[in-house]
Amino acid sequence: MRRKIAFSLVFGIATVLAGGLCAGAQRADQAWLKYRPLSKRLSVPMRVEVMGQRRIERSAASELVRGLRSLAGESSSDAGPDSIVLATVEELTREKRKSIVPTLEPDEFQISWSRDQSLRELDIVGGSDRGLLYGVFALLRHLAEGADMSRAVLRERPAMAIRWVDQWDNADGSVERGYAGSSIFFEGGKVRDDLRPVAEYARLLASVGINGCNVNNVNNAAPFLNSEMIRGLALVADAMRPWGVRLAMSVDVASPQKIGGLATYDPLDPAVKAWWNAKVNEIYALIPDFAGFTVKADSEGQPGPASYGRTPADAANTLAIALAPHGGVVLYRAFVYNHHLDWNDPKADRARAAYDIFHPLDGKFAQNVIVQTKEGPIDFQVREPVSPLFGGLTQTSQAMEVQITQEYTGQQRHVVYLAPLWKQVLDFDMRVEGSTTLVRNLIARKGGGMVGVSGVGRDAWLGSPLAMANLYAFGRLAWDPNLAPEEIAREWTGQTIGNDPDVVRTVGKMLMQSWPAYEDYTGPLGLQTLTDITGSHYGPGIEGSENNGWGQWHRADHEGVGMDRSVATGTGYAGQYPPEVAKEYESAATTPDALLLFFHHVPYTYKLDSPGFGGKTVIQYLYDSHYRGAAQAAEFVRDWETLKGKIDPALYDNVLPRLEYQAGHAIVWRDAVVQYFLKLSGIPDAQGRAGKYPGRMEAEDARLDGYQVVDVMPWEDASRGKAVRCDQKEPLQEGKQRSCSAEWMYEGAAGRFDVAVQYFDLQGGAAKFALTVNGRAAGANASWVGDAMLPTRRLHGDNSTRHVVQGVALKPGDVIRVEGTPDANDPAALDYVEVVPAGSDPH
Ligand code: GCW
């Protein structure tokens, strides 16, 4: 029997692969594919045999060998006579290898034990070579988590056909909304020469079942259809193909005019159609398995069919007809809206746009068009209702777009595990025609699925190690939306950080608490993220979303807050849902409190009544949630500290300062939102915290030498709206550091305290700071450099940063002094210092 096996591998390959990657290269094992040695013998054979020789099968075999060898660690030399056999259904049938061959769909796999005479075999059978690869990754995942596979039988297939990540990478190497360095795909207007990171990325994606990757930004996509770029993209496709990840690209519908030299891009013009046909043929000649196009049109300045009075269906179908003979698809984004809305018009509502535009087109799209809709009607906010369009396109294939890169959820500087948010959307019951209609089933129909905007870059994929849980979870949920976010967190932690039960429990708890915490300290009750939507989308900017055309409004005034989207008195958005859901959202009393202010404008004194909202008034809930969220962020630091000695020290040291930073920035958020609503509503905090900061000494009240008092914009981003900056205009004297100082006389009780210094860390310079008490360094870390790369190049909540010096002995009359030395564009600006009981502040 064994002789029939076309190709047999026993180790060796792992060494070859490892040798092929130079030291320092970006690798998948920086993420979850670590295969850390287990302390026990593996429960599966160490010998690997593969029946076929296709490229993906070779990847599967080499991955398995590499994984087994690494997991087995010391005991890896003991191969034994049993084997793992890898085969596709087709190979088994052809070779008559087994008496019973399972019937499997292409991406499906089955893992089961069998006997070949006296030997045991673990068979991994795929419906296709890709199914086989997924089976290998599933086995390795279970082993890495420490599972006993000695009797395992597994059979799985993906819930959805489309399981794609989208990159928003530009040809110059920048990544729109990317927070992890420059593009792994492009540089200097071209595809990069070194595509090894792309292959490693594809390996990572395949390990969680992702089967497509769109590599370029939906904005400014026209140059990507130039012939030279297509040749480069063919190399990208080659790099991903061994892992079953098909290349897709974003296209600009005006390309026939912009790069094709036609006078028009009207999708119904015969010359335009012919241009697209020829372009698509050119692509398929080089990339035979090309997956398809993603389109952003008539949105945020991108050209679109509206210029010719045509519909999105007209534009989508022209592309779809060109792609259809090759098996390609069009993902047409429903993110189409007018960003010049009239803020003074109480009926204007951006949330309505996708449904208003796309619902009337249901049934008008070609078979291979998939309408791709963001999970919520606005834009990846910390919380939104589910887009009603999912219930409004019953004849059309649909994909749900989520954002892995954390544009509005902390930009990877904050830990925010998004699986619970996505899961809530997937599990939402639209009640189409009055019966159970889960969003996850709506998108799984007719070849639809999920698309995650990924934003990986050259900085360890997503920059922050814990952010990788989101990429992992995205793939797992697209594969199986029944998985619970807790379970996914456990899987990810076990593979990435460690199987120690304390580690799995602690990291799982942190991940699960992270989205609620972020919501609490940014924008609860359906207010959305409350960030400056015309700027970086990062720090607090409560008013920034109002009074402009972008439509991310919350309509807060002196009396109340929230946007009336009811049918009776508001914009009518609530009426876009099927009747049962529409009815629930129509009245404030039945709208879940978590979404109350998305749907209704209510007085600050309105009483919340959902479980967990404690019968509080809206204003009190705003105060309380912000204090609770910031306290939770501080807790993450303490949680992580319990892992010291239990996890990889490099990972420990990498993550700890990020969590400390997050805890400090959560305070910036808390104070901004709280003081904003305190001022606007005039209603005091029943718990007496809002606007009162015991132990806080404002920079503008200090004895200043060189520092100038300035107003911060928006005012709520600084304590009491003011800060000081060190701008010394006179020329420097030789050898003399130009620095400024702020001094306060301490008047509190004697004791040991933590002293927090709130400063603004501007890009374009690395200002130095030193904290002294009576002229002496206040502690071990009392001198530091503000060299972080934070958004916004002026004093702002984006860059307001907290530095804590612990255990400082203070007595009345002591002089606390901060000396700031500016550097280039960083004026060493200060907001305040705060003396808090030792151990109460994250450090
Ligand atoms: O969220 C917004 C982003 C834009 C993005 C756009 C979109 C690619 O701020 O950067 O553009 O959505 O999804 O098209």
Side-chain angles (χ1 to χ4, degrees):
M1 279 287 188
R2 268 168 208 282
R3 255 168 278 121
K4 291 209 173 128
I5 294 172
F7 186 107
S8 157
L9 291 152
V10 183
F11 309 121
I13 280 201
T15 335
V16 173
L17 283 176
L21 283 167
C22 66
Q26 187 159 3
R27 293 181 322 270
D29 58 12
Q30 289 164 317
W32 54 87
L33 292 181
K34 291 199 174 2
Y35 305 130
R36 279 173 297 99
L38 297 165
S39 47
K40 55 184 179 195
R41 235 185 114 83
L42 291 188
S43 51
V44 298
M46 292 295 294
R47 189 180 296 274
V48 174
E49 298 178 5
V50 56
M51 287 187 73
Q53 295 200 52
R54 303 235 284 273
R55 192 61 194 85
I56 294 179
E57 290 172 289
R58 297 211 307 272
S59 309
S62 61
E63 186 72 18
L64 184 55
V65 171
R66 157 197 216 146
L68 293 176
R69 199 182 143 104
S70 176
L71 288 164
E74 303 278 288
S75 52
S76 65
S77 51
D78 173 19
D82 297 344
S83 27
I84 303 181
V85 176
L86 309 183
T88 62
V89 166
E90 187 205 328
E91 286 153 6
L92 285 183
T93 315
R94 195 176 58 226
E95 303 280 336
K96 303 198 176 38
R97 180 79 169 75
K98 298 272 167 200
S99 48
I100 309 168
V101 178
T103 307
L104 300 173
E105 287 179 15
D107 283 1
E108 190 171 9
F109 65 82
Q110 177 179 294
I111 303 179
S112 59
W113 288 93
S114 66
R115 273 200 181 279
D116 182 8
Q117 292 149 27
S118 64
L119 301 177
R120 283 189 93 206
E121 263 180 23
L122 182 61
D123 301 311
I124 306 184
V125 184
S128 67
D129 46 356
R130 214 163 49 198
L132 173 60
L133 179 66
Y134 296 147
V136 161
F137 277 119
L139 177 69
L140 288 170
R141 179 174 70 242
H142 285 286
L143 291 172
E145 287 177 64
D148 176 3
M149 301 302 283
S150 60
R151 265 180 258 283
V153 183
L154 279 180
R155 185 171 171 151
E156 283 185 28
R157 63 162 178 245
M160 314 180 189
I162 296 285
R163 307 182 302 279
W164 288 14
V165 287
D166 278 8
Q167 295 286 138
W168 287 347
D169 293 27
N170 298 311
D172 66 2
S174 60
V175 180
E176 181 152 348
R177 310 302 174 186
Y179 309 102
S182 44
S183 172
I184 63 169
F185 299 96
F186 308 108
E187 194 168 355
K190 296 198 303 242
V191 166
R192 294 183 73 208
D193 293 333
D194 180 5
L195 292 177
R196 284 174 301 178
V198 171
E200 283 290 284
Y201 184 40
R203 183 176 152 227
L204 207 49
L205 296 176
S207 75
V208 284
I210 292 168
N211 62 358
C213 177
N214 179 326
V215 293
N216 66 302
N217 192 355
V218 286
N219 294 330
N220 310 315
F224 287 83
L225 284 176
N226 283 320
S227 298
E228 192 199 339
M229 188 58 109
I230 293 172
R231 283 194 293 276
L233 289 173
L235 300 176
V236 173
D238 291 346
M240 301 197 295
R241 189 172 295 113
W243 302 99
V245 177
R246 293 167 71 192
L247 178 97
M249 67 188 291
S250 301
V251 294
D252 179 337
V253 296
S255 302
Q257 191 182 66
K258 285 188 181 167
I259 64 159
L262 300 189
T264 174
Y265 60 90
D266 178 353
L268 299 189
D269 184 290
V272 168
K273 291 183 176 179
W275 189 88
W276 281 111
N277 286 339
K279 208 25 113 178
V280 166
N281 290 340
E282 181 186 339
I283 294 172
Y284 277 92
L286 294 177
I287 313 172
D289 57 352
F290 180 68
F293 290 151
T294 302
V295 180
K296 173 178 182 179
D298 290 321
S299 169
E300 298 184 338
Q302 296 304 307
S307 306
Y308 298 94
R310 311 296 186 200
T311 69
D314 296 329
N317 292 348
T318 290
L319 300 176
I321 289 164
L323 290 160
H326 308 277
V329 293
V330 178
L331 283 121
Y332 200 98
R333 297 176 84 223
F335 187 66
V336 179
Y337 72 102
N338 168 12
H339 67 279
H340 300 289
L341 284 178
D342 178 6
W343 181 74
N344 292 308
D345 174 2
K347 297 285 175 198
D349 187 359
R350 167 172 167 185
R352 290 189 58 118
Y355 188 94
D356 281 346
I357 297 168
F358 284 81
H359 171 66
L361 299 175
D362 194 18
K364 303 215 163 84
F365 291 96
Q367 287 289 319
N368 57 331
V369 175
I370 297 163
V371 172
Q372 177 172 322
T373 307
K374 291 190 182 185
E375 23 89 6
I378 299 286
D379 199 2
F380 304 131
Q381 300 299 291
V382 69
R383 189 187 291 266
E384 297 177 39
V386 176
S387 171
L389 188 57
F390 293 118
L393 291 178
T394 51
Q395 324 277 311
T396 307
S397 304
Q398 303 196 62
M400 176 169 110
E401 181 178 316
V402 301
Q403 213 181 28
I404 297 161
T405 188
Q406 296 169 230
E407 176 180 357
Y408 282 98
T409 49
Q411 304 190 350
Q412 274 102 292
R413 297 183 190 91
H414 292 235
V415 176
V416 182
Y417 176 54
L418 293 163
L421 185 167
W422 301 334
K423 177 71 172 159
Q424 223 170 64
V425 178
L426 288 164
D427 287 351
F428 187 80
D429 186 356
M430 265 305 166
R431 310 296 302 164
V432 176
E433 286 169 10
S435 52
T436 309
T437 336
L438 305 183
V439 168
R440 63 173 126 109
N441 294 332
L442 287 169
I443 59 176
R445 294 170 319 132
K446 297 164 89 67
M450 278 176 81
V451 176
V453 177
S454 167
V456 303
R458 281 186 243 166
D459 173 11
W461 307 111
L462 284 175
S464 155
L466 297 186
M468 292 301 281
N470 287 327
L471 182 57
Y472 182 87
F474 167 76
R476 296 291 288 139
L477 282 173
W479 180 274
D480 182 3
N482 287 309
L483 289 171
E486 297 87 326
E487 175 59 29
I488 299 174
R490 233 188 332 267
E491 285 182 5
W492 177 81
T493 306
Q495 292 167 78
T496 313
I497 307 184
N499 288 320
D500 174 317
D502 284 347
V503 172
V504 174
R505 195 173 40 246
T506 304
V507 176
K509 180 183 120 197
M510 291 172 67
L511 292 176
M512 289 306 294
Q513 288 173 341
S514 61
W515 172 49
Y518 194 78
E519 180 180 31
D520 274 349
Y521 64 75
T522 59
L525 300 176
L527 276 173
Q528 309 168 61
T529 307
L530 294 180
T531 188
D532 177 358
I533 71 105
T534 57
S536 64
H537 302 177
Y538 180 58
I542 296 99
E543 214 166 304
S545 55
E546 291 285 283
N547 225 331
N548 60 43
W550 291 90
Q552 283 177 236
W553 308 323
H554 49 69
R555 299 207 180 277
D557 57 27
H558 292 293
E559 307 299 320
V561 56
M563 183 145 164
D564 184 355
R565 292 186 158 104
S566 68
V567 176
T569 53
T571 68
Y573 166 80
Q576 293 184 334
Y577 292 89
E580 287 174 52
V581 180
K583 188 162 171 242
E584 188 184 336
Y585 291 151
E586 180 65 15
S587 104
T590 50
T591 300
D593 285 336
L595 285 171
L596 178 69
L597 305 180
F598 193 90
F599 284 100
H600 301 283
H601 185 84
V602 298
Y604 288 110
T605 50
Y606 181 92
K607 272 243 167 82
L608 303 168
D609 55 6
S610 307
F613 292 78
K616 293 176 181 170
T617 60
V618 163
I619 191 71
Q620 193 58 41
Y621 188 85
L622 281 176
Y623 297 146
D624 290 355
S625 62
H626 282 81
Y627 279 91
R628 181 176 65 206
Q632 182 64 67
E635 189 71 27
F636 294 152
V637 176
R638 289 187 276 272
D639 289 337
W640 191 254
E641 283 172 338
T642 67
L643 302 180
K644 194 173 173 88
K646 293 185 181 160
I647 65 173
D648 171 16
L651 176 70
Y652 180 85
D653 292 345
N654 181 329
V655 172
L656 185 63
R658 295 175 192 271
L659 295 171
E660 289 169 347
Y661 165 79
Q662 175 178 0
H665 201 232
I667 292 173
V668 175
W669 264 103
R670 177 195 77 188
D671 291 354
V673 178
V674 165
Q675 72 174 345
Y676 181 87
F677 282 104
L678 176 65
K679 184 169 172 194
L680 196 64
S681 72
I683 302 176
D685 169 12
Q687 298 212 38
R689 298 154 304 189
K692 301 201 177 68
Y693 307 101
R696 185 173 293 190
M697 294 176 277
E698 299 288 342
E700 61 272 22
D701 297 341
R703 213 175 66 174
L704 300 175
D705 180 6
Y707 270 122
Q708 312 281 326
V709 178
V710 291
D711 290 327
V712 172
M713 287 279 288
W715 68 272
E716 67 269 19
D717 280 12
S719 193
R720 294 202 325 222
K722 293 198 186 301
V724 300
R725 48 183 292 156
C726 182
D727 296 296
Q728 295 203 345
K729 303 269 170 359
E730 68 272 24
L732 288 184
Q733 285 167 15
E734 192 85 30
K736 191 172 172 242
Q737 281 280 47
R738 57 169 194 176
S739 61
C740 301
S741 65
E743 282 182 5
W744 300 263
M745 169 94 71
Y746 178 68
E747 288 166 350
R752 278 206 179 266
F753 299 91
D754 291 347
V755 180
V757 180
Q758 197 71 34
Y759 66 105
F760 295 87
D761 191 341
L762 263 58
Q763 271 191 45
K768 291 197 193 74
F769 297 90
L771 174 73
T772 56
V773 176
N774 301 333
R776 281 219 285 275
N781 60 341
S783 300
W784 70 98
V785 180
D787 56 359
M789 295 293 280
L790 296 162
T792 307
R793 286 166 181 263
R794 57 189 166 78
L795 276 51
H796 191 275
D798 281 356
N799 44 55
S800 178
T801 306
R802 196 173 180 90
H803 182 87
V804 181
V805 179
Q806 283 182 283
V808 182
L810 289 173
K811 56 181 185 329
D814 282 352
V815 175
I816 299 176
R817 179 174 197 264
V818 177
E819 181 168 304
T821 310
D823 179 51
N825 292 318
D826 185 343
L830 293 175
D831 190 354
Y832 60 82
V833 299
E834 191 163 277
V835 176
V836 297
S840 69
D841 214 89
H843 46 81

